[in-house]
Amino acid sequence: MHLIRRGDPHLAVRSSEGLTTVELYGELDLVLVQRVRPELDVLAREASALTVDLRHVTFCDASGLGLLVRCAQRVQGRGAAWRLVCDQPMILRLVRLAALDDVLRPSSPAPPPGDEGPPIPHPSLPGRLPV
C-alpha cells in the first residue's frame, strides 16, 4: 500500500492492488466539495474499488451528500466496489433522513479484507506524518 500525495490538507488517498481509500477531513460543505470534487471524480472513474472514509468529517450538508451520491453512482455504475465508512451519528442520521442508505451504503469503520495498511498521514493530527 502506498500513499498518493495530495496538496489538499482535507484529502488523503492510499492505494494498494486496485483498492483505493479516500479519507476526508473537516466539514464536507460546499467549499470542501468544490475543492475535492475533481479528485474524487478521477478516482470514481479509475479505481476498481473505492472506499470513502468520513471518520474525520465533522459536518456534512446537502452538497456533501450530493458529492457522495455522485461518487457512489459512478463507481457502482461501472461495476466497481463502493464503500462508505462513517461512524459520525449526525452524518449517518442525515443519510437515513435523505433516504440514501441504498445508494451510499454506509458501513462501520472496520477495514475491508486486504485494506489494513498503515494509517493515512495527515498534518493536523498528532502522531501522523505530513501529506
Side-chain angles (χ1 to χ4, degrees), residues 2 4 16 22 37 42 50 53 86 104 119 123 126 130:
H2 65 282
I4 303 169
S16 175
V22 176
R37 180 185 294 134
V42 169
L50 181 61
D53 187 338
C86 183
L104 295 178

Side-chain angles (χ1 to χ4, degrees), residues 42-91:
V42 169
L43 294 170
R45 275 195 315 269
E46 296 176 359
S48 58
L50 181 61
T51 296
V52 176
D53 187 338
L54 301 181
R55 288 180 287 176
H56 300 288
V57 171
T58 57
F59 172 82
C60 183
D61 66 8
S63 60
L65 280 182
L67 176 67
L68 296 172
V69 168
R70 174 185 172 118
C71 284
Q73 288 177 332
R74 287 182 174 192
V75 170
Q76 295 168 17
R78 61 183 185 78
W82 163 261
R83 183 165 184 254
L84 178 68
V85 175
C86 183
D87 61 359
Q88 304 294 330
M90 294 305 289
I91 296 173

Side-chain angles (χ1 to χ4, degrees), residues 3 15 18 62 72 80 85 95 117 126 129:
L3 177 69
S15 186
V85 175
V95 168
L129 302 172

